mmCIF file with all atom_site columns, all heavy atoms in Angstrom:
data_model
loop_
_atom_site.group_PDB
_atom_site.id
_atom_site.type_symbol
_atom_site.label_atom_id
_atom_site.label_alt_id
_atom_site.label_comp_id
_atom_site.label_asym_id
_atom_site.label_entity_id
_atom_site.label_seq_id
_atom_site.pdbx_PDB_ins_code
_atom_site.Cartn_x
_atom_site.Cartn_y
_atom_site.Cartn_z
_atom_site.occupancy
_atom_site.B_iso_or_equiv
_atom_site.pdbx_formal_charge
_atom_site.auth_seq_id
_atom_site.auth_comp_id
_atom_site.auth_asym_id
_atom_site.auth_atom_id
_atom_site.pdbx_PDB_model_num
ATOM 1   N N   . VAL A 1 1  ? -13.483 10.547 13.537 1.00 0.00 ? 1  VAL A N   1
ATOM 2   C CA  . VAL A 1 1  ? -13.216 11.207 14.811 1.00 0.00 ? 1  VAL A CA  1
ATOM 3   C C   . VAL A 1 1  ? -12.045 12.155 14.569 1.00 0.00 ? 1  VAL A C   1
ATOM 4   O O   . VAL A 1 1  ? -11.057 11.776 13.936 1.00 0.00 ? 1  VAL A O   1
ATOM 5   C CB  . VAL A 1 1  ? -12.921 10.195 15.947 1.00 0.00 ? 1  VAL A CB  1
ATOM 6   C CG1 . VAL A 1 1  ? -11.787 9.261  15.598 1.00 0.00 ? 1  VAL A CG1 1
ATOM 7   C CG2 . VAL A 1 1  ? -12.654 10.923 17.251 1.00 0.00 ? 1  VAL A CG2 1
ATOM 8   N N   . SER A 1 2  ? -12.185 13.384 15.040 1.00 0.00 ? 2  SER A N   1
ATOM 9   C CA  . SER A 1 2  ? -11.197 14.416 14.781 1.00 0.00 ? 2  SER A CA  1
ATOM 10  C C   . SER A 1 2  ? -10.616 14.957 16.070 1.00 0.00 ? 2  SER A C   1
ATOM 11  O O   . SER A 1 2  ? -11.201 14.811 17.141 1.00 0.00 ? 2  SER A O   1
ATOM 12  C CB  . SER A 1 2  ? -11.838 15.562 13.989 1.00 0.00 ? 2  SER A CB  1
ATOM 13  O OG  . SER A 1 2  ? -12.278 15.109 12.731 1.00 0.00 ? 2  SER A OG  1
ATOM 14  N N   . LEU A 1 3  ? -9.453  15.571 15.927 1.00 0.00 ? 3  LEU A N   1
ATOM 15  C CA  . LEU A 1 3  ? -8.817  16.243 17.051 1.00 0.00 ? 3  LEU A CA  1
ATOM 16  C C   . LEU A 1 3  ? -8.361  17.607 16.565 1.00 0.00 ? 3  LEU A C   1
ATOM 17  O O   . LEU A 1 3  ? -7.421  17.703 15.768 1.00 0.00 ? 3  LEU A O   1
ATOM 18  C CB  . LEU A 1 3  ? -7.624  15.439 17.574 1.00 0.00 ? 3  LEU A CB  1
ATOM 19  C CG  . LEU A 1 3  ? -6.978  15.971 18.849 1.00 0.00 ? 3  LEU A CG  1
ATOM 20  C CD1 . LEU A 1 3  ? -7.943  15.833 20.037 1.00 0.00 ? 3  LEU A CD1 1
ATOM 21  C CD2 . LEU A 1 3  ? -5.661  15.252 19.152 1.00 0.00 ? 3  LEU A CD2 1
ATOM 22  N N   . GLN A 1 4  ? -9.031  18.632 17.039 1.00 0.00 ? 4  GLN A N   1
ATOM 23  C CA  . GLN A 1 4  ? -8.641  20.012 16.732 1.00 0.00 ? 4  GLN A CA  1
ATOM 24  C C   . GLN A 1 4  ? -7.612  20.433 17.766 1.00 0.00 ? 4  GLN A C   1
ATOM 25  O O   . GLN A 1 4  ? -7.889  20.384 18.968 1.00 0.00 ? 4  GLN A O   1
ATOM 26  C CB  . GLN A 1 4  ? -9.849  20.938 16.771 1.00 0.00 ? 4  GLN A CB  1
ATOM 27  C CG  . GLN A 1 4  ? -9.503  22.395 16.538 1.00 0.00 ? 4  GLN A CG  1
ATOM 28  C CD  . GLN A 1 4  ? -9.017  22.663 15.128 1.00 0.00 ? 4  GLN A CD  1
ATOM 29  O OE1 . GLN A 1 4  ? -9.553  22.130 14.174 1.00 0.00 ? 4  GLN A OE1 1
ATOM 30  N NE2 . GLN A 1 4  ? -7.995  23.517 15.007 1.00 0.00 ? 4  GLN A NE2 1
ATOM 31  N N   . MET A 1 5  ? -6.435  20.810 17.307 1.00 0.00 ? 5  MET A N   1
ATOM 32  C CA  . MET A 1 5  ? -5.348  21.168 18.206 1.00 0.00 ? 5  MET A CA  1
ATOM 33  C C   . MET A 1 5  ? -4.974  22.624 17.984 1.00 0.00 ? 5  MET A C   1
ATOM 34  O O   . MET A 1 5  ? -4.516  22.992 16.897 1.00 0.00 ? 5  MET A O   1
ATOM 35  C CB  . MET A 1 5  ? -4.141  20.261 17.952 1.00 0.00 ? 5  MET A CB  1
ATOM 36  C CG  . MET A 1 5  ? -4.469  18.774 18.028 1.00 0.00 ? 5  MET A CG  1
ATOM 37  S SD  . MET A 1 5  ? -3.012  17.728 17.900 1.00 0.00 ? 5  MET A SD  1
ATOM 38  C CE  . MET A 1 5  ? -2.477  18.132 16.249 1.00 0.00 ? 5  MET A CE  1
ATOM 39  N N   . ASN A 1 6  ? -5.203  23.432 18.994 1.00 0.00 ? 6  ASN A N   1
ATOM 40  C CA  . ASN A 1 6  ? -4.884  24.856 18.932 1.00 0.00 ? 6  ASN A CA  1
ATOM 41  C C   . ASN A 1 6  ? -3.755  25.185 19.897 1.00 0.00 ? 6  ASN A C   1
ATOM 42  O O   . ASN A 1 6  ? -3.466  24.415 20.809 1.00 0.00 ? 6  ASN A O   1
ATOM 43  C CB  . ASN A 1 6  ? -6.121  25.687 19.277 1.00 0.00 ? 6  ASN A CB  1
ATOM 44  C CG  . ASN A 1 6  ? -7.268  25.472 18.316 1.00 0.00 ? 6  ASN A CG  1
ATOM 45  O OD1 . ASN A 1 6  ? -7.073  25.212 17.126 1.00 0.00 ? 6  ASN A OD1 1
ATOM 46  N ND2 . ASN A 1 6  ? -8.482  25.565 18.828 1.00 0.00 ? 6  ASN A ND2 1
ATOM 47  N N   . MET A 1 7  ? -3.157  26.336 19.680 1.00 0.00 ? 7  MET A N   1
ATOM 48  C CA  . MET A 1 7  ? -2.081  26.815 20.561 1.00 0.00 ? 7  MET A CA  1
ATOM 49  C C   . MET A 1 7  ? -1.038  25.716 20.778 1.00 0.00 ? 7  MET A C   1
ATOM 50  O O   . MET A 1 7  ? -0.663  25.414 21.917 1.00 0.00 ? 7  MET A O   1
ATOM 51  C CB  . MET A 1 7  ? -2.660  27.312 21.875 1.00 0.00 ? 7  MET A CB  1
ATOM 52  C CG  . MET A 1 7  ? -3.589  28.500 21.711 1.00 0.00 ? 7  MET A CG  1
ATOM 53  S SD  . MET A 1 7  ? -4.218  29.102 23.296 1.00 0.00 ? 7  MET A SD  1
ATOM 54  C CE  . MET A 1 7  ? -5.333  27.776 23.730 1.00 0.00 ? 7  MET A CE  1
ATOM 55  N N   . LEU A 1 8  ? -0.591  25.121 19.711 1.00 0.00 ? 8  LEU A N   1
ATOM 56  C CA  . LEU A 1 8  ? 0.342   24.004 19.813 1.00 0.00 ? 8  LEU A CA  1
ATOM 57  C C   . LEU A 1 8  ? 1.661   24.433 20.429 1.00 0.00 ? 8  LEU A C   1
ATOM 58  O O   . LEU A 1 8  ? 2.139   25.565 20.233 1.00 0.00 ? 8  LEU A O   1
ATOM 59  C CB  . LEU A 1 8  ? 0.567   23.378 18.439 1.00 0.00 ? 8  LEU A CB  1
ATOM 60  C CG  . LEU A 1 8  ? -0.577  22.464 17.985 1.00 0.00 ? 8  LEU A CG  1
ATOM 61  C CD1 . LEU A 1 8  ? -0.547  22.256 16.481 1.00 0.00 ? 8  LEU A CD1 1
ATOM 62  C CD2 . LEU A 1 8  ? -0.509  21.127 18.714 1.00 0.00 ? 8  LEU A CD2 1
ATOM 63  N N   . LYS A 1 9  ? 2.242   23.509 21.182 1.00 0.00 ? 9  LYS A N   1
ATOM 64  C CA  . LYS A 1 9  ? 3.503   23.734 21.864 1.00 0.00 ? 9  LYS A CA  1
ATOM 65  C C   . LYS A 1 9  ? 4.518   22.694 21.381 1.00 0.00 ? 9  LYS A C   1
ATOM 66  O O   . LYS A 1 9  ? 4.152   21.638 20.875 1.00 0.00 ? 9  LYS A O   1
ATOM 67  C CB  . LYS A 1 9  ? 3.325   23.586 23.380 1.00 0.00 ? 9  LYS A CB  1
ATOM 68  C CG  . LYS A 1 9  ? 2.255   24.476 23.980 1.00 0.00 ? 9  LYS A CG  1
ATOM 69  C CD  . LYS A 1 9  ? 2.095   24.186 25.460 1.00 0.00 ? 9  LYS A CD  1
ATOM 70  C CE  . LYS A 1 9  ? 1.003   25.049 26.084 1.00 0.00 ? 9  LYS A CE  1
ATOM 71  N NZ  . LYS A 1 9  ? 0.840   24.760 27.534 1.00 0.00 ? 9  LYS A NZ  1
ATOM 72  N N   . SER A 1 10 ? 5.780   22.957 21.605 1.00 0.00 ? 10 SER A N   1
ATOM 73  C CA  . SER A 1 10 ? 6.817   22.025 21.181 1.00 0.00 ? 10 SER A CA  1
ATOM 74  C C   . SER A 1 10 ? 6.622   20.659 21.850 1.00 0.00 ? 10 SER A C   1
ATOM 75  O O   . SER A 1 10 ? 6.912   19.623 21.244 1.00 0.00 ? 10 SER A O   1
ATOM 76  C CB  . SER A 1 10 ? 8.198   22.574 21.496 1.00 0.00 ? 10 SER A CB  1
ATOM 77  O OG  . SER A 1 10 ? 8.317   22.854 22.878 1.00 0.00 ? 10 SER A OG  1
ATOM 78  N N   . GLU A 1 11 ? 6.119   20.665 23.070 1.00 0.00 ? 11 GLU A N   1
ATOM 79  C CA  . GLU A 1 11 ? 5.921   19.393 23.772 1.00 0.00 ? 11 GLU A CA  1
ATOM 80  C C   . GLU A 1 11 ? 4.757   18.577 23.222 1.00 0.00 ? 11 GLU A C   1
ATOM 81  O O   . GLU A 1 11 ? 4.541   17.440 23.649 1.00 0.00 ? 11 GLU A O   1
ATOM 82  C CB  . GLU A 1 11 ? 5.734   19.627 25.268 1.00 0.00 ? 11 GLU A CB  1
ATOM 83  C CG  . GLU A 1 11 ? 4.704   20.667 25.633 1.00 0.00 ? 11 GLU A CG  1
ATOM 84  C CD  . GLU A 1 11 ? 5.325   22.025 25.918 1.00 0.00 ? 11 GLU A CD  1
ATOM 85  O OE1 . GLU A 1 11 ? 6.210   22.473 25.130 1.00 0.00 ? 11 GLU A OE1 1
ATOM 86  O OE2 . GLU A 1 11 ? 4.902   22.665 26.916 1.00 0.00 ? 11 GLU A OE2 1
ATOM 87  N N   . ASP A 1 12 ? 4.004   19.129 22.284 1.00 0.00 ? 12 ASP A N   1
ATOM 88  C CA  . ASP A 1 12 ? 2.954   18.359 21.618 1.00 0.00 ? 12 ASP A CA  1
ATOM 89  C C   . ASP A 1 12 ? 3.512   17.517 20.472 1.00 0.00 ? 12 ASP A C   1
ATOM 90  O O   . ASP A 1 12 ? 2.789   16.729 19.870 1.00 0.00 ? 12 ASP A O   1
ATOM 91  C CB  . ASP A 1 12 ? 1.874   19.291 21.073 1.00 0.00 ? 12 ASP A CB  1
ATOM 92  C CG  . ASP A 1 12 ? 1.133   20.041 22.152 1.00 0.00 ? 12 ASP A CG  1
ATOM 93  O OD1 . ASP A 1 12 ? 0.806   19.425 23.190 1.00 0.00 ? 12 ASP A OD1 1
ATOM 94  O OD2 . ASP A 1 12 ? 0.881   21.254 21.966 1.00 0.00 ? 12 ASP A OD2 1
ATOM 95  N N   . THR A 1 13 ? 4.778   17.710 20.168 1.00 0.00 ? 13 THR A N   1
ATOM 96  C CA  . THR A 1 13 ? 5.396   16.945 19.085 1.00 0.00 ? 13 THR A CA  1
ATOM 97  C C   . THR A 1 13 ? 5.357   15.456 19.396 1.00 0.00 ? 13 THR A C   1
ATOM 98  O O   . THR A 1 13 ? 5.829   15.010 20.447 1.00 0.00 ? 13 THR A O   1
ATOM 99  C CB  . THR A 1 13 ? 6.856   17.391 18.888 1.00 0.00 ? 13 THR A CB  1
ATOM 100 O OG1 . THR A 1 13 ? 6.868   18.747 18.441 1.00 0.00 ? 13 THR A OG1 1
ATOM 101 C CG2 . THR A 1 13 ? 7.561   16.520 17.860 1.00 0.00 ? 13 THR A CG2 1
ATOM 102 N N   . ALA A 1 14 ? 4.774   14.686 18.492 1.00 0.00 ? 14 ALA A N   1
ATOM 103 C CA  . ALA A 1 14 ? 4.602   13.246 18.696 1.00 0.00 ? 14 ALA A CA  1
ATOM 104 C C   . ALA A 1 14 ? 3.930   12.656 17.463 1.00 0.00 ? 14 ALA A C   1
ATOM 105 O O   . ALA A 1 14 ? 3.479   13.393 16.574 1.00 0.00 ? 14 ALA A O   1
ATOM 106 C CB  . ALA A 1 14 ? 3.740   12.977 19.922 1.00 0.00 ? 14 ALA A CB  1
ATOM 107 N N   . VAL A 1 15 ? 3.857   11.340 17.435 1.00 0.00 ? 15 VAL A N   1
ATOM 108 C CA  . VAL A 1 15 ? 2.998   10.660 16.473 1.00 0.00 ? 15 VAL A CA  1
ATOM 109 C C   . VAL A 1 15 ? 1.646   10.450 17.152 1.00 0.00 ? 15 VAL A C   1
ATOM 110 O O   . VAL A 1 15 ? 1.585   9.963  18.284 1.00 0.00 ? 15 VAL A O   1
ATOM 111 C CB  . VAL A 1 15 ? 3.594   9.305  16.030 1.00 0.00 ? 15 VAL A CB  1
ATOM 112 C CG1 . VAL A 1 15 ? 2.658   8.623  15.032 1.00 0.00 ? 15 VAL A CG1 1
ATOM 113 C CG2 . VAL A 1 15 ? 4.965   9.504  15.409 1.00 0.00 ? 15 VAL A CG2 1
ATOM 114 N N   . TYR A 1 16 ? 0.591   10.839 16.454 1.00 0.00 ? 16 TYR A N   1
ATOM 115 C CA  . TYR A 1 16 ? -0.752  10.773 17.011 1.00 0.00 ? 16 TYR A CA  1
ATOM 116 C C   . TYR A 1 16 ? -1.514  9.604  16.386 1.00 0.00 ? 16 TYR A C   1
ATOM 117 O O   . TYR A 1 16 ? -1.466  9.396  15.162 1.00 0.00 ? 16 TYR A O   1
ATOM 118 C CB  . TYR A 1 16 ? -1.488  12.083 16.764 1.00 0.00 ? 16 TYR A CB  1
ATOM 119 C CG  . TYR A 1 16 ? -1.030  13.191 17.678 1.00 0.00 ? 16 TYR A CG  1
ATOM 120 C CD1 . TYR A 1 16 ? 0.223   13.766 17.533 1.00 0.00 ? 16 TYR A CD1 1
ATOM 121 C CD2 . TYR A 1 16 ? -1.850  13.656 18.705 1.00 0.00 ? 16 TYR A CD2 1
ATOM 122 C CE1 . TYR A 1 16 ? 0.649   14.765 18.384 1.00 0.00 ? 16 TYR A CE1 1
ATOM 123 C CE2 . TYR A 1 16 ? -1.434  14.659 19.556 1.00 0.00 ? 16 TYR A CE2 1
ATOM 124 C CZ  . TYR A 1 16 ? -0.180  15.206 19.394 1.00 0.00 ? 16 TYR A CZ  1
ATOM 125 O OH  . TYR A 1 16 ? 0.251   16.200 20.243 1.00 0.00 ? 16 TYR A OH  1
ATOM 126 N N   . TYR A 1 17 ? -2.201  8.870  17.235 1.00 0.00 ? 17 TYR A N   1
ATOM 127 C CA  . TYR A 1 17 ? -2.948  7.680  16.817 1.00 0.00 ? 17 TYR A CA  1
ATOM 128 C C   . TYR A 1 17 ? -4.388  7.771  17.325 1.00 0.00 ? 17 TYR A C   1
ATOM 129 O O   . TYR A 1 17 ? -4.647  8.382  18.372 1.00 0.00 ? 17 TYR A O   1
ATOM 130 C CB  . TYR A 1 17 ? -2.343  6.415  17.418 1.00 0.00 ? 17 TYR A CB  1
ATOM 131 C CG  . TYR A 1 17 ? -0.896  6.169  17.097 1.00 0.00 ? 17 TYR A CG  1
ATOM 132 C CD1 . TYR A 1 17 ? 0.120   6.715  17.873 1.00 0.00 ? 17 TYR A CD1 1
ATOM 133 C CD2 . TYR A 1 17 ? -0.532  5.350  16.023 1.00 0.00 ? 17 TYR A CD2 1
ATOM 134 C CE1 . TYR A 1 17 ? 1.456   6.472  17.589 1.00 0.00 ? 17 TYR A CE1 1
ATOM 135 C CE2 . TYR A 1 17 ? 0.797   5.097  15.737 1.00 0.00 ? 17 TYR A CE2 1
ATOM 136 C CZ  . TYR A 1 17 ? 1.777   5.655  16.526 1.00 0.00 ? 17 TYR A CZ  1
ATOM 137 O OH  . TYR A 1 17 ? 3.102   5.410  16.239 1.00 0.00 ? 17 TYR A OH  1
ATOM 138 N N   . CYS A 1 18 ? -5.288  7.131  16.618 1.00 0.00 ? 18 CYS A N   1
ATOM 139 C CA  . CYS A 1 18 ? -6.637  6.991  17.176 1.00 0.00 ? 18 CYS A CA  1
ATOM 140 C C   . CYS A 1 18 ? -6.930  5.508  17.395 1.00 0.00 ? 18 CYS A C   1
ATOM 141 O O   . CYS A 1 18 ? -6.337  4.631  16.763 1.00 0.00 ? 18 CYS A O   1
ATOM 142 C CB  . CYS A 1 18 ? -7.693  7.644  16.297 1.00 0.00 ? 18 CYS A CB  1
ATOM 143 S SG  . CYS A 1 18 ? -8.099  6.757  14.796 1.00 0.00 ? 18 CYS A SG  1
ATOM 144 N N   . ASN A 1 19 ? -7.819  5.238  18.310 1.00 0.00 ? 19 ASN A N   1
ATOM 145 C CA  . ASN A 1 19 ? -8.229  3.883  18.639 1.00 0.00 ? 19 ASN A CA  1
ATOM 146 C C   . ASN A 1 19 ? -9.422  4.010  19.583 1.00 0.00 ? 19 ASN A C   1
ATOM 147 O O   . ASN A 1 19 ? -9.813  5.107  19.973 1.00 0.00 ? 19 ASN A O   1
ATOM 148 C CB  . ASN A 1 19 ? -7.086  3.132  19.333 1.00 0.00 ? 19 ASN A CB  1
ATOM 149 C CG  . ASN A 1 19 ? -7.138  1.627  19.087 1.00 0.00 ? 19 ASN A CG  1
ATOM 150 O OD1 . ASN A 1 19 ? -8.213  1.031  19.117 1.00 0.00 ? 19 ASN A OD1 1
ATOM 151 N ND2 . ASN A 1 19 ? -5.998  1.021  18.827 1.00 0.00 ? 19 ASN A ND2 1
ATOM 152 N N   . THR A 1 20 ? -9.993  2.900  19.958 1.00 0.00 ? 20 THR A N   1
ATOM 153 C CA  . THR A 1 20 ? -11.012 2.953  20.995 1.00 0.00 ? 20 THR A CA  1
ATOM 154 C C   . THR A 1 20 ? -10.326 3.170  22.344 1.00 0.00 ? 20 THR A C   1
ATOM 155 O O   . THR A 1 20 ? -9.105  3.004  22.473 1.00 0.00 ? 20 THR A O   1
ATOM 156 C CB  . THR A 1 20 ? -11.821 1.663  21.045 1.00 0.00 ? 20 THR A CB  1
ATOM 157 O OG1 . THR A 1 20 ? -10.959 0.603  21.464 1.00 0.00 ? 20 THR A OG1 1
ATOM 158 C CG2 . THR A 1 20 ? -12.434 1.339  19.692 1.00 0.00 ? 20 THR A CG2 1
ATOM 159 N N   . VAL A 1 21 ? -11.119 3.526  23.340 1.00 0.00 ? 21 VAL A N   1
ATOM 160 C CA  . VAL A 1 21 ? -10.566 3.717  24.671 1.00 0.00 ? 21 VAL A CA  1
ATOM 161 C C   . VAL A 1 21 ? -9.957  2.410  25.189 1.00 0.00 ? 21 VAL A C   1
ATOM 162 O O   . VAL A 1 21 ? -8.969  2.427  25.918 1.00 0.00 ? 21 VAL A O   1
ATOM 163 C CB  . VAL A 1 21 ? -11.652 4.254  25.624 1.00 0.00 ? 21 VAL A CB  1
ATOM 164 C CG1 . VAL A 1 21 ? -11.165 4.239  27.060 1.00 0.00 ? 21 VAL A CG1 1
ATOM 165 C CG2 . VAL A 1 21 ? -12.064 5.664  25.226 1.00 0.00 ? 21 VAL A CG2 1
ATOM 166 N N   . ARG A 1 22 ? -10.495 1.301  24.741 1.00 0.00 ? 22 ARG A N   1
ATOM 167 C CA  . ARG A 1 22 ? -9.972  -0.001 25.151 1.00 0.00 ? 22 ARG A CA  1
ATOM 168 C C   . ARG A 1 22 ? -8.864  -0.496 24.219 1.00 0.00 ? 22 ARG A C   1
ATOM 169 O O   . ARG A 1 22 ? -8.414  -1.638 24.355 1.00 0.00 ? 22 ARG A O   1
ATOM 170 C CB  . ARG A 1 22 ? -11.100 -1.032 25.203 1.00 0.00 ? 22 ARG A CB  1
ATOM 171 C CG  . ARG A 1 22 ? -12.120 -0.770 26.287 1.00 0.00 ? 22 ARG A CG  1
ATOM 172 C CD  . ARG A 1 22 ? -13.124 -1.894 26.395 1.00 0.00 ? 22 ARG A CD  1
ATOM 173 N NE  . ARG A 1 22 ? -14.044 -1.700 27.493 1.00 0.00 ? 22 ARG A NE  1
ATOM 174 C CZ  . ARG A 1 22 ? -14.979 -2.573 27.849 1.00 0.00 ? 22 ARG A CZ  1
ATOM 175 N NH1 . ARG A 1 22 ? -15.112 -3.701 27.187 1.00 0.00 ? 22 ARG A NH1 1
ATOM 176 N NH2 . ARG A 1 22 ? -15.778 -2.324 28.861 1.00 0.00 ? 22 ARG A NH2 1
ATOM 177 N N   . ARG A 1 23 ? -8.502  0.338  23.270 1.00 0.00 ? 23 ARG A N   1
ATOM 178 C CA  . ARG A 1 23 ? -7.429  -0.020 22.324 1.00 0.00 ? 23 ARG A CA  1
ATOM 179 C C   . ARG A 1 23 ? -7.762  -1.315 21.586 1.00 0.00 ? 23 ARG A C   1
ATOM 180 O O   . ARG A 1 23 ? -6.891  -2.173 21.379 1.00 0.00 ? 23 ARG A O   1
ATOM 181 C CB  . ARG A 1 23 ? -6.078  -0.137 23.026 1.00 0.00 ? 23 ARG A CB  1
ATOM 182 C CG  . ARG A 1 23 ? -5.703  1.101  23.826 1.00 0.00 ? 23 ARG A CG  1
ATOM 183 C CD  . ARG A 1 23 ? -4.297  1.051  24.353 1.00 0.00 ? 23 ARG A CD  1
ATOM 184 N NE  . ARG A 1 23 ? -3.934  2.263  25.064 1.00 0.00 ? 23 ARG A NE  1
ATOM 185 C CZ  . ARG A 1 23 ? -2.697  2.654  25.322 1.00 0.00 ? 23 ARG A CZ  1
ATOM 186 N NH1 . ARG A 1 23 ? -1.677  1.932  24.913 1.00 0.00 ? 23 ARG A NH1 1
ATOM 187 N NH2 . ARG A 1 23 ? -2.469  3.772  25.988 1.00 0.00 ? 23 ARG A NH2 1
ATOM 188 N N   . SER A 1 24 ? -8.998  -1.470 21.173 1.00 0.00 ? 24 SER A N   1
ATOM 189 C CA  . SER A 1 24 ? -9.458  -2.726 20.598 1.00 0.00 ? 24 SER A CA  1
ATOM 190 C C   . SER A 1 24 ? -9.248  -2.828 19.099 1.00 0.00 ? 24 SER A C   1
ATOM 191 O O   . SER A 1 24 ? -9.398  -3.900 18.521 1.00 0.00 ? 24 SER A O   1
ATOM 192 C CB  . SER A 1 24 ? -10.931 -2.943 20.939 1.00 0.00 ? 24 SER A CB  1
ATOM 193 O OG  . SER A 1 24 ? -11.689 -1.812 20.573 1.00 0.00 ? 24 SER A OG  1
ATOM 194 N N   . PHE A 1 25 ? -8.902  -1.711 18.438 1.00 0.00 ? 25 PHE A N   1
ATOM 195 C CA  . PHE A 1 25 ? -8.606  -1.760 17.018 1.00 0.00 ? 25 PHE A CA  1
ATOM 196 C C   . PHE A 1 25 ? -7.130  -2.041 16.799 1.00 0.00 ? 25 PHE A C   1
ATOM 197 O O   . PHE A 1 25 ? -6.301  -1.853 17.700 1.00 0.00 ? 25 PHE A O   1
ATOM 198 C CB  . PHE A 1 25 ? -8.930  -0.430 16.349 1.00 0.00 ? 25 PHE A CB  1
ATOM 199 C CG  . PHE A 1 25 ? -10.390 -0.080 16.290 1.00 0.00 ? 25 PHE A CG  1
ATOM 200 C CD1 . PHE A 1 25 ? -10.789 1.192  15.915 1.00 0.00 ? 25 PHE A CD1 1
ATOM 201 C CD2 . PHE A 1 25 ? -11.373 -1.001 16.583 1.00 0.00 ? 25 PHE A CD2 1
ATOM 202 C CE1 . PHE A 1 25 ? -12.129 1.528  15.846 1.00 0.00 ? 25 PHE A CE1 1
ATOM 203 C CE2 . PHE A 1 25 ? -12.716 -0.681 16.520 1.00 0.00 ? 25 PHE A CE2 1
ATOM 204 C CZ  . PHE A 1 25 ? -13.082 0.598  16.154 1.00 0.00 ? 25 PHE A CZ  1
#
């Protein structure tokens, strides 16, 4: 699963994680 991020802004600064919508992993 991918996340294409365009036109990035300073407020996008963060640690990015993936998981299920239910956070089951």
